Each structure stands twice: as structure tokens, then as C-alpha cells.
Amino acid sequence: MELDFPAVTKDGEIIGYGGNQEWFSREWQRRAGCGSVTGANLAAYYAARSGHLAPLYPGRPGDFSHLTYLTCMEEMYRYMTPGIHGYPFAGRFARDFALYCRERGRHARPVGCGKMASADDGFSFVKESIDQGDPLALLILHHRAPELKDDNWHWVTVSGYAEGAAGRQVLLSDCGERGLVGADTLFEVHPKNVIRMLRFSIS
């Protein structure tokens, strides 16, 4: 199950599965702007999904051209400006994204996953969210899995899931790339693994 996630284009070619913080103009934005990218991914997706939510995205909904998408990312960065330690706060993300929506006449209610007792809890929350058409903001504060080493202290966007012979997998937009990670790995309950996950109900 995969949402109709934004495919960002430039000169007629797809350059990103969602946004990429490397597109920002300033070095600190490129280093610590992942929260803003995730916020822009949510805003772009919802604006294209419903005409009622069009104010969440600059320009025409569904116009995922590079410059328009970058405009959204830059605007989101005003709300989600990282500090000296970046932007590793799920509660602040929920507050700032809700403010972004409210100042555009829309109400966003955050729904968090809460404490997970098992990998089943995390995967069930993903399935529930995706099945009802809601992407998720996922913060990986720390994870011991080698395949997630580059994603520590980092925001990504969950856009789908898969179940099959390869096991349970979670589909991610990570720095403009589409990737899959095993759900049992991602949601492994371990003292060294610290993640936060939330979705929004927007009206």
C-alpha cells in the first residue's frame, strides 16, 4: 500500500520522491533542514489530495516542480528552524506544523504513536495511518541498526508499507529518495533505539 506521494520534477524529469534538504541554498539548511522537508512533504501531499487543503501549498496543488516545491520547503523552514542541535523534537514538529496550517485557515490535529511495546505496535500504527490516507512524520533520534546509521538524528516521511515474502516493510521518503526498511528492524524495541512517529488529522 503506497500513497500518491509527490514526485518532484525538474526540466521534465523526476528528481525526488518528496523533497531533499540538499536543495536548500544555505549550508545549515542543508545540514539540519530535514524537519522542514518532512513538513513540506505533508503539506504538498494534503494540498494535492483535497481542494479544501490547497492553501497548504504554494502555487497550484499537484505542481511538484522543483522551484515550487523548494518554495514550500523554504516557507516551512520559517516555522521549523533548527537550533544548534538541529530539530529533534516531535512535540515541536507537531506544534509548528499545526501553526503552519492554522495560519492558512486549516486545523491540524497531531496523533502520536505513543510508546511501542513491540514492533507490531509501530507497524500497526503505520498501516492504520496509510490505509486512511495519512503519511507520517518519523523522527529517528538513534537506532542501532547498521542500515539506519545515516538516518540517526533525522526526520523522514512514511509514505506506505508492504507485506509479503520479504516480510513487513515500511516505505520512506528520505532526502528525496524512495526506500524500504524492514518494520521489525525499524520498530525493534531496544534501549538504543529511540524513534518518534506522528500523523495529522487536517480539516
Side-chain angles (χ1 to χ4, degrees):
M1 177 65 178
E2 181 174 359
L3 300 177
D4 189 12
F5 200 71
V8 184
T9 61
K10 185 177 183 180
D11 299 328
E13 296 185 1
I14 295 175
I15 63 167
Y17 181 76
N20 184 347
Q21 67 200 73
E22 290 297 325
W23 299 341
F24 281 122
S25 59
R26 287 171 285 169
E27 180 183 359
W28 183 241
Q29 290 178 303
R30 293 192 294 270
R31 289 179 58 190
C34 53
S36 306
V37 173
T38 293
N41 287 342
L42 299 183
Y45 167 81
Y46 281 113
R49 181 184 180 206
S50 170
H52 172 66
L53 301 179
L56 298 183
Y57 186 73
R60 180 176 57 83
D63 172 16
F64 300 140
S65 62
H66 173 253
L67 287 179
T68 304
Y69 215 88
L70 181 56
T71 297
C72 186
M73 288 167 46
E74 293 277 7
E75 181 65 12
M76 194 66 68
Y77 188 86
R78 292 200 310 109
Y79 292 79
M80 300 184 176
T81 305
I84 190 171
H85 298 297
Y87 190 80
F89 311 106
R92 185 174 161 191
F93 184 104
R95 181 198 69 194
D96 292 345
F97 186 76
L99 177 61
Y100 174 92
C101 293
R102 184 164 66 249
E103 292 189 347
R104 286 153 184 80
R106 302 298 177 263
H107 175 73
R109 181 177 64 86
V111 180
C113 180
K115 185 175 177 60
M116 290 180 287
S118 69
D120 292 343
D121 291 343
F123 190 66
S124 294
F125 188 71
V126 167
K127 285 187 64 176
E128 177 186 62
S129 302
I130 298 299
D131 287 349
Q132 66 188 28
D134 293 318
L136 302 105
L138 170 63
L139 171 61
I140 303 172
L141 284 168
H142 188 272
H143 208 290
R144 68 177 188 147
E147 57 265 46
L148 293 171
K149 180 180 67 174
D150 293 336
D151 287 318
N152 280 246
W153 217 256
H154 185 53
W155 285 97
V156 297
T157 314
V158 177
S159 58
Y161 67 87
E163 295 178 284
R168 304 183 300 183
Q169 295 180 299
V170 177
L171 180 60
L172 304 176
S173 168
D174 184 357
C175 292
E177 295 186 359
R178 181 183 181 275
L180 285 167
V181 61
D184 291 338
T185 297
L186 178 62
F187 299 128
E188 177 198 27
V189 177
H190 189 278
K192 291 186 177 181
N193 298 341
V194 183
I195 66 173
R196 302 288 185 266
M197 188 165 47
L198 65 156
R199 65 172 185 254
F200 291 87
S201 176
I202 306 180
S203 58

